[in-house]
Amino acid sequence: MSNENEKKVNETAAGQAETVKMSPEMAAAHQKMIAAVDEVEKVVVGKRAEVLQLLTAMLAGAHVLIEDVPGTGKTTLASTLARVTGLDFKRAQFTPDVMASDITGFHIYNRQKEDFELREGLVMCNLLLADEINRASPKTQSALLEAMEEGRVTVDGETREIPDPFMVIATQNPAGYVGTYPLPEAQLDRFALKICMGYPSPAEEVNIIRARKGENPLKNVKAILTRDELREIRDMVTRVKMDDELYTYIVTLITATRKHPALALGASPRASVALVHLAQAYAFLKGRDYVLPDDIAGLFRSAIAHRLMLRQEAKLAHQTTQDVLTEILRTTEVPYKGKRAERA
């Protein structure tokens, strides 16, 4: 699937539901999610596909890494998303002096009470924006990524559950490498999606600066969902159906990354599991209670590219992981040849 075709799929998914049968409960939940996308777009102009991907990850119970230059709306997107979905939001500017205890929490002595009391860490929220995560030390990065994986933290032997839902949107600047600690492959693998915001078009940028000449449009954002509703919708997403052919399709795609001559490191089984959950959420946002191959193909590059490692020869040939994944998509047989119309 070309980038142009993938963009069309994303726009269709975000804009309207396909004409299929859904239960009344699921159809109502789907409409709420589309209303949430529309509300976010009132602030974040021209990024419907990116908003859709973030909500896909949110419904899949996953985390997202955004790699882009400063000023492209990453913080605005995260804070708007938190307001629209009724989530408790925190932003952390990661620097080398941020410690692991800042992430997990720590005990501090209270002289008035003559006892130690717990100061909650940054992860005790629903949506955490970890800004420039690659500027924090490896120990701090590991503390955050462990919390992302386990859903809980341990402070001085005391284990505490992180609020549910919990999502991390981490950012890193692709242009600045001085004073950074790049995330190793094992930690990058914890993020379900890696996306780029990109610059707006000239027309979109005109709309952005016009909207911000007065009051910040973020102040007028309405909450479309509550935390409880989001949890219920996330449970619905787990009931989105997948045929055995699609499990085989995912495994075939993932296995191809392990055998491709341009790759020194392919995707892990964790990637396969993540792609299943993401495809279910993506299909739900498109208004269906079953997954199609297009759902998998539409997410494949964003879900897998950051998990791979190119061989040196491929780098010298100016080949990218996106190029490799595009080739894998093109050469892998798609299930249901000629049967999609019958299924829809």
Side-chain angles (χ1 to χ4, degrees), residues 109-116:
Y109 187 72
N110 187 323
R111 288 189 176 184
Q112 293 180 336
K113 297 181 179 179
E114 295 185 350
D115 196 5
F116 285 91

Side-chain angles (χ1 to χ4, degrees), residues 17-28 30 239-241 283-284 286-290 343-344:
E18 297 180 9
T19 308
V20 294
K21 293 181 180 179
M22 297 179 75
S23 68
E25 181 189 23
M26 192 173 282
H30 167 262
R239 301 198 295 270
V240 172
K241 296 182 285 292
F284 175 83
K286 291 170 74 174
R288 281 185 273 100
D289 63 356
Y290 59 88
R343 296 175 56 78

